[in-house]
Each structure stands twice: as C-alpha cells, then as structure tokens.
Amino acid sequence: MIENPATVPVNPAGETKLTREQAWKGLELKARDARLFLPPGLCTRCDVVEESATHFVREATIAGSDLREIITLERQHKVTFFQATGPREGAIVNELFEDDAGELQLRFYCYTGLRGKKPNGPEEQAEQAQFDSEGKGYKSALMSTLKRTRELLADGNL
C-alpha cells in the first residue's frame, strides 16, 4: 500500500492570490486534461471518454503507461481519481479545505498499490520513496498544479 499525504497553502506569501473557485477550476481542468499540468511529454494522451452526472472517465497515457480512471468531482472541494486500469489500483484524492486559521489549503492523499506486485514489496517501497521525495513527490506536484493554475489565470484561460 502506497500512502502519501501532502498539504500546501493555496496562497503562499508572494504569489498571486487564488480564490477557492479559481483553485477548484485548476483542479477540474487537471482532472479533465493532465497534459496542461504535467511536464511536457509526460502525458501524451488524456481524453474524457464517458461523462455522467456523478463522474467522468478518462483514458490517458502517462509516463508510458496506459490508464483508465473514474473521476468524481465534489464541487469546489474534492477530486477523486479511482484507478480502474493501469499500473496502480486504488484512489488518489486532491482536496481543498480551510485550515484552523481560515487559510485555503490543497491536500493530496492516496491509497494505492501496484497491480500484480507484492504489497509493500520492493516495487511498492521504491514507488513510496519516489512519492515521498522532495523534488518529485506529490507535494511538488501540488505546488506545480497551483503554479500552472496561476499561469492560466494570468493568460485569461481559467
């Protein structure tokens, strides 16, 4: 089981302030098309193939792996990615919330495993180490998502 909680402030000092609605729009755009938010070439395909009132399904190729995700949106609060096919199984969550001081925060957490691999085996331990790393972990992914959201806002595309 790979678990990785990470939380970052949506509006750190010195950055353009994002409203909850703007931060949410960035999360929703990322859910619908990861290519806009991931490093160039990492996501080569990302298509919404089904949509309903409660969820949508996207098929993507990320880091060379084909995957299918069922994505639920709890408006302006939470995006959950259920890993239907691909190298991982489980759920990945991005959540907006206010901390005790009333400051908007973005939290990532996941409960995933690697399909066909021994639970907590060497492959999962290696993946956990990567997710925990400072430069490539999910905390840096959260900061990158917020940075890209600010760029889209500045360009008038949010």
Side-chain angles (χ1 to χ4, degrees), residues 58-130:
R58 81 174 185 189
E59 293 179 349
T61 303
I62 300 176
S65 295
D66 291 329
L67 53 106
R68 183 177 179 95
E69 296 172 302
I70 301 164
I71 300 170
T72 62
L73 304 172
E74 295 178 41
R75 184 148 174 72
Q76 294 198 25
H77 175 65
K78 189 185 297 184
V79 180
T80 305
F81 302 82
F82 296 96
Q83 308 294 292
T85 65
R88 291 172 200 83
E89 55 190 356
I92 296 170
V93 179
N94 286 237
E95 179 180 29
L96 286 170
F97 70 99
E98 280 85 17
D99 64 13
D100 292 339
E103 297 297 320
L104 191 58
Q105 304 288 316
L106 176 57
R107 176 176 24 226
F108 166 94
Y109 55 96
C110 70
Y111 300 101
T112 62
L114 294 176
R115 277 186 186 18
K117 304 296 180 190
K118 180 181 174 191
N120 204 30
E123 294 92 347
E124 282 193 359
Q125 288 179 18
E127 184 132 329
Q128 181 72 56
Q130 179 181 342

Side-chain angles (χ1 to χ4, degrees), residues 111-148:
Y111 300 101
T112 62
L114 294 176
R115 277 186 186 18
K117 304 296 180 190
K118 180 181 174 191
N120 204 30
E123 294 92 347
E124 282 193 359
Q125 288 179 18
E127 184 132 329
Q128 181 72 56
Q130 179 181 342
F131 290 158
D132 290 342
S133 71
E134 194 61 33
K136 295 182 180 178
Y138 277 107
K139 188 172 185 176
S140 66
L142 292 175
M143 292 186 303
S144 173
T145 295
L146 293 170
K147 178 182 179 203
R148 182 67 179 129

